[in-house]
Amino acid sequence: KKQALTLTIANGFTRGLGFFFRLMTARLMGAEAIGVMELSASAAMLALTPATAGLPTAMSRVTARPNADQSAVLRAGLSLNRRIALVMMPLLFLLAPGMAWLLSDFRTLPAILISIPAVFLLGCCAVYSGWFYGRGDMLTPAQCECSEQIVRFVGSLVLLLIFTRSPLSVRAALPGFAGILAGICVWMMFRRRAPLPPGVPSADLRRELLALSAPTAVSRLCQTCLRMLTAVLLPLCLRQSGLTASAATAQFGLLNGMAMPLIMAPGIVTSAMCMVAAPAVSRQESNRVRLKRTMRQLLLMAGLIGCLSSCVLFLFAQPISMLYGEPALTGVLMALSPLSMLFAIQQVQFGLVTGLGVQRRAMPGTIVSSALTLVVMSFLCPMPSVRIFGAVLAMLAGS
C-alpha cells in the first residue's frame, strides 16, 4: 500500500500536469495539429513498444527474486535495451516516410523522425524503473517521472510560444522534441542514482529477460498496431462519411488527443497498482491463499476507482468540454465514459498476469479484441449518422 501510494502521488502530479498541458496545447495548437501529433505518435509507438512494453515488469520480477544479483540484472537489462534500440532506431528512420504515406498525411513526418532517439532513452528509463520497482524502491522512479513531466511541460510550452507562426507540421513535432530533452534528463538522473560497477552483461540473464518481456511486448505490440491501424483507418472512414480531410484529422485529434487521456485518468492509481502488483504477486506465488486474497483486493479496488471515474466523466462532460474549448467533446466523453472502468480493471489484470508469468495466456484475448475493434470501426464510422461515435462503439466492443 505504501509503495502504491508513492507511485499514485507521483502519477497524480504527472497526470494533473499532463491534463493542464493538454488544455494549453489544445488552445495553442488547435484540434487539427493535435490530430497530426497523435497520428505521428501512433506510428512512433510501433518502434517504442519493443523497448518499453515488457522490460519494466520483467526487470522487477527478476530483481525481486531472493538472492538475485541486482547489479548483474541491471547490466543485462541495459544490454538488452541497447540491442533492441540498435535494431528499432534505424528501422524507424527507414520506415518513417512509408508510415507518413500510410497515414495519408506527410505532415506527420517531422514528428516521427524526432521520436527516433526516444527508442533508446525511454527503453533505458523502462529498465531502470523496473529495476528500482523490484528492489522495492518506488520513490526514485516516481521522482524521475515527475521531473520528466516538468521538463516536457515547460519545454513544450516554451517551444510552442516561440514557434507560434510555424507550419502545422513543425508545431505538431515540438512536444516530441521537448520529450527527447526530458528523456535525456531522466536518463542522467537514473544513471546518477544507480551507477554500475564494471562487468560483462550476463547472456543468460539477458535471454531470461527477453523471454519474460517478449509475450508482454507482443501483446502490447498488437495494441500498438491497433492504434496505428486506427490512425490509418479512422480518418479514411470519416472522409468516406462526408467530412473533409482537415475535419477528419480534427475529429481524430478530438478522440485520441483530448478524450482518451481523460478516459485513462484512473491510471493515476491503477498504473501504480499494476507496477506494485507484479513483484508482489511474484513473491507470494508459494502462498496460494495470500496470493488470491491480494488479487481479489486489487481487482475490487480497480473496479471501484474505474466506476467512480466513469461517473465523473459522464456527469461533468460538458464543463470539461468547455475547458478545452471544444463543445463536440461532450458527446464523445459521455459515450466513452464506461471505457474508463474497463481500462482500470484491465490495467491491474495486466500486473497480475505479469506477476504470475502467464502473459502468453493473455495474448489471444488481445488479438481478438484488436480485430473486433477494427471490424466494428470500419463498418460504423463511414456512416454519416454515426461517424466518430462508430470508433467509440468499436473501442467499447473490443474492451
Side-chain angles (χ1 to χ4, degrees):
K1 290 178 182 177
K2 289 178 181 177
Q3 291 171 349
L5 180 61
T6 301
L7 285 179
T8 298
I9 293 171
N11 288 341
F13 175 79
T14 55
R15 294 295 180 95
L17 198 59
F19 176 68
F20 186 60
F21 171 69
R22 291 281 177 174
L23 287 177
M24 295 298 293
T25 52
R27 294 181 177 276
L28 290 172
M29 296 170 66
E32 189 177 0
I34 289 178
V36 172
M37 183 179 71
E38 290 296 327
L39 284 171
S40 60
S42 66
M45 277 303 296
L46 285 172
L48 290 169
T49 298
T52 58
L55 276 177
T57 48
M59 287 291 297
S60 71
R61 180 176 170 84
V62 176
T63 307
R65 288 175 181 167
N67 304 318
D69 185 346
Q70 296 181 349
S71 294
V73 174
L74 182 56
R75 272 197 300 269
L78 293 172
S79 173
L80 178 59
N81 176 65
R82 283 195 298 270
R83 293 184 175 215
I84 294 171
L86 284 172
V87 174
M88 298 310 301
M89 289 171 68
L91 195 61
L92 180 58
F93 177 76
L94 293 173
L95 295 179
M99 288 178 170
W101 177 78
L102 274 175
L103 294 168
S104 303
D105 197 333
F106 277 93
R107 294 176 298 179
T108 60
L109 188 57
I112 294 173
L113 292 174
I114 278 176
S115 68
I116 291 174
V119 176
F120 172 75
L121 292 170
L122 295 184
C124 281
C125 294
V127 169
Y128 277 113
S129 294
W131 187 72
F132 279 108
Y133 291 145
R135 299 178 70 201
D137 180 358
M138 304 295 159
L139 186 60
T140 297
Q143 289 173 341
C144 291
E145 185 180 351
C146 293
S147 302
E148 186 264 346
Q149 189 73 346
I150 291 171
V151 175
R152 184 196 299 268
F153 175 72
V154 173
S156 297
L157 290 186
V158 169
L159 289 171
L160 286 169
L161 289 170
I162 292 173
F163 296 97
T164 306
R165 299 184 181 276
S166 299
L168 188 143
S169 59
V170 174
R171 281 184 283 132
L174 292 176
F177 182 73
I180 297 298
L181 297 177
I184 293 171
C185 291
V186 173
W187 177 49
M188 293 172 66
M189 287 176 66
F190 272 128
R191 289 195 63 176
R192 187 176 178 182
R193 299 287 180 91
L196 268 180
V200 179
S202 167
D204 290 337
L205 274 175
R206 190 167 54 221
R207 281 193 293 269
E208 184 180 6
L209 288 170
L210 180 61
L212 284 171
S213 63
T216 303
V218 171
S219 179
R220 192 70 62 82
L221 199 58
C222 290
Q223 296 173 339
T224 305
C225 286
L226 172 64
R227 185 179 175 185
M228 172 72 179
L229 289 171
T230 301
V232 174
L233 186 65
L234 183 54
L236 181 64
C237 290
L238 291 173
R239 289 199 295 270
Q240 288 178 353
S241 73
L243 293 178
T244 63
S246 178
T249 303
Q251 288 275 290
F252 181 81
L254 190 78
L255 178 67
N256 270 34
M258 299 181 191
M260 288 310 296
L262 293 169
I263 294 300
M264 298 177 76
I268 293 172
V269 181
T270 54
S271 63
M273 293 166 64
C274 172
M275 293 310 303
V276 170
V281 167
S282 181
R283 293 189 192 102
Q284 294 178 15
E285 275 189 285
S286 58
N287 188 337
R288 304 290 290 181
V289 175
R290 187 177 177 186
L291 175 64
K292 288 182 179 181
R293 184 171 67 247
T294 300
M295 293 171 71
R296 279 196 298 268
Q297 289 173 345
L298 287 167
L299 288 170
L300 177 62
M301 185 61 68
L304 291 173
I305 291 167
C307 183
L308 178 63
S309 173
S310 296
C311 293
V312 169
L313 289 172
F314 184 84
L315 294 173
F316 294 95
Q318 188 171 9
I320 292 170
S321 303
M322 291 172 64
L323 283 174
Y324 275 96
E326 291 287 345
L329 185 61
T330 302
V332 175
L333 267 183
M334 293 177 73
L336 269 178
S337 57
L339 199 62
S340 193
M341 183 174 67
L342 292 170
F343 277 171
I345 295 171
Q346 288 166 4
Q347 195 162 33
V348 173
Q349 283 178 329
F350 171 74
L352 300 178
V353 165
T354 303
L356 293 170
V358 291
Q359 298 96 315
R360 291 183 182 180
R361 290 167 61 181
M363 284 175 59
T366 303
I367 294 169
V368 171
S369 165
S370 301
L372 179 62
T373 302
L374 287 173
V375 169
V376 175
M377 186 182 299
S378 60
F379 178 73
L380 292 178
C381 288
M383 297 181 182
S385 58
V386 181
R387 286 180 176 162
I388 195 68
F389 291 98
V392 172
L393 291 171
M395 294 166 73
L396 286 168
S399 291

